[in-house]
Amino acid sequence: MPDDLPDLDTARPDPPRVAWRRQMRERVLAAAEELTSAHGWDRVRVVDLADRAEVSRPSIYKEFGDRAGIGRVLVQRETDRVLSGVARALEQPGQDVGACLRAAVSHTLSEGADNPLVSAVLHAAHKDTDALLPYLASRPDPIFDSARALLEAWFARRAPETTSQRRAGAADVAVRLTLSHMLLPSSNRDHVPQQVVQAVLAVLGPVAG
């Protein structure tokens, strides 16, 4: 068979049931994001999601298990998107470790301030209605663990001369400080990235660049 012919297995469309399930899942998550951003997770009900997504409640329960299952998937999806932005920010061509870290911290703080879903969760925490916050900022937690793993791997590439213990400690400090500033924003956010970077580099130790 010629190499330039398409792979029929990969080109074959999903069966109707699989395609419908994927579309239904995306509609429910989009509805959950809209309602959480507008009203907070505490006010999001499955019946409202069903109405907005135009699917039945039994279908939602079958797909997600329960309301908490929707929250976990919603936060994991948003976590993946935010961390993709962090990974891009870390890859600054020609920049040293400190500059790349500043870019990543700045990106994350901007997400906390400007992202409607993240902002809704953080504002809920200040009002003691943090029903969704455990999915975002407690352990075992997708953002903390995923961000720390991302940074440890990046430190291993950019600062291989440091010990694994120092790299793990630096990643932990970076994530904890950044999340703390997201939850309790500083009056002068412009200085926060450099402050975080200084603390992280102190733990990481001397690096080549």
Side-chain angles (χ1 to χ4, degrees), residues 25-47:
R25 183 181 179 89
E26 287 304 312
R27 289 203 304 270
V28 171
L29 291 173
E33 182 173 347
E34 292 170 5
L35 292 174
T36 301
S37 299
H39 308 296
W41 177 251
D42 285 349
R43 296 188 180 183
V44 175
R45 302 180 302 166
V46 174
V47 63

Side-chain angles (χ1 to χ4, degrees), residues 39-119:
H39 308 296
W41 177 251
D42 285 349
R43 296 188 180 183
V44 175
R45 302 180 302 166
V46 174
V47 63
D48 298 325
L49 295 177
D51 288 344
R52 180 164 294 217
E54 298 182 339
V55 299
S56 68
R57 278 183 288 175
S59 294
I60 293 178
Y61 286 122
K62 183 177 180 180
E63 178 66 24
F64 296 98
D66 54 17
R67 182 173 171 276
I70 300 170
R72 282 190 293 271
V73 174
L74 181 65
V75 169
Q76 185 60 63
R77 188 175 74 161
E78 196 64 14
T79 296
D80 292 342
R81 192 193 65 77
V82 171
L83 291 183
S84 292
V86 171
R88 289 192 299 271
L90 286 171
E91 301 302 331
Q92 302 289 316
Q95 298 296 317
D96 62 18
V97 169
C100 293
L101 280 172
R102 278 193 297 275
V105 173
S106 295
H107 170 81
T108 308
L109 294 177
S110 294
E111 286 287 339
D114 304 329
N115 181 299
L117 175 60
V118 176
S119 180

Side-chain angles (χ1 to χ4, degrees), residues 97 151-167 204-209:
V97 169
L151 283 172
E152 281 193 58
W154 184 77
F155 284 139
R157 287 190 291 109
R158 291 300 305 267
E161 67 274 18
T162 61
T163 66
S164 59
Q165 184 176 9
R166 279 186 173 274
R167 293 194 294 267
L204 187 62
V207 294

Side-chain angles (χ1 to χ4, degrees), residues 178-197:
T178 303
L179 283 178
S180 294
H181 280 288
M182 290 175 70
L183 291 168
L184 296 171
S186 171
S187 58
N188 193 343
R189 199 178 80 182
D190 293 341
H191 293 300
V192 170
Q194 181 59 30
Q195 293 171 349
V196 173
V197 168

